[in-house]
Amino acid sequence: SAGADGDDNNDTFGVGSDEDGVTFDTPLVPGETATVSYVVGGPSAAFVSGWIDFNGDGDFLDAGEQVLDAALRDPGAYSVSFTVPSDAAAAGSTTYSRFRVATAAADVALPAGEAADGEVEDYAIPIEALDYGDMNAGCGQTLLADDGARHVIGDLRLGTLIDAESDGAPAAGAVAST
């Protein structure tokens, strides 16, 4: 489903929504490090894999989209950090993630296919839009490569307008972000 919640109303086993094992601890911001926490449940160690459709093309098969590769984990809480590609899907758009757990590494090697045991959880997640500065490069940190000033776009702003950029836009007179 569009919200990656199509089975959340399937209460066959009396559990309601089963998407409760993965938490996005930080927003997905292009060019930034993101962290995802996950919980492995069950009686023994299992393999966990995770994918994010960073380019928004509807699959998890592109380079860099696997963020967790058959990691063997005992039952417990874990996290994984990764860099969101700077060319991730359009800022402000929604993309999808998939996490799988099973007792055999081969069962979680790919984002699709049947596994003998375990679980799959899918999530709709936003790619956050950023507002960068536009100060002349010689005057301060403007570009992402220089750790330039940037903010996740939300309701808070100075004035009435705000724009999204994929990187800083250094310009003499600091007027490029209009």
Side-chain angles (χ1 to χ4, degrees), residues 5 17 22 59 67 81-82 89 93 96 100 102 123 125 139 146-147:
D5 58 1
S17 175
V22 176
D59 65 48
V67 297
S81 295
F82 50 87
S93 67
Y96 297 91
R100 300 183 76 177
Y123 296 87
I125 47 175
C139 296
D146 299 322
D147 195 28

Side-chain angles (χ1 to χ4, degrees), residues 126-146:
I127 301 288
E128 299 292 341
L130 293 178
D131 174 44
Y132 279 84
D134 54 14
M135 186 182 329
N136 183 304
C139 296
Q141 296 169 313
T142 303
L143 299 172
L144 177 62
D146 299 322

Side-chain angles (χ1 to χ4, degrees), residues 60-129:
F60 302 109
L61 303 175
D62 302 294
E65 291 187 331
Q66 187 166 17
V67 297
L68 188 60
D69 187 6
L72 180 60
R73 299 287 188 249
D74 288 321
Y78 299 91
S79 65
V80 60
S81 295
F82 50 87
T83 300
V84 178
S86 58
D87 62 349
S93 67
T94 297
T95 194
Y96 297 91
S97 68
R98 170 167 291 162
F99 288 81
R100 300 183 76 177
V101 61
T103 55
D107 285 348
V108 299
L110 297 173
E114 184 176 351
D117 59 10
E119 184 181 18
V120 59
E121 293 192 0
D122 293 339
Y123 296 87
I125 47 175
I127 301 288
E128 299 292 341

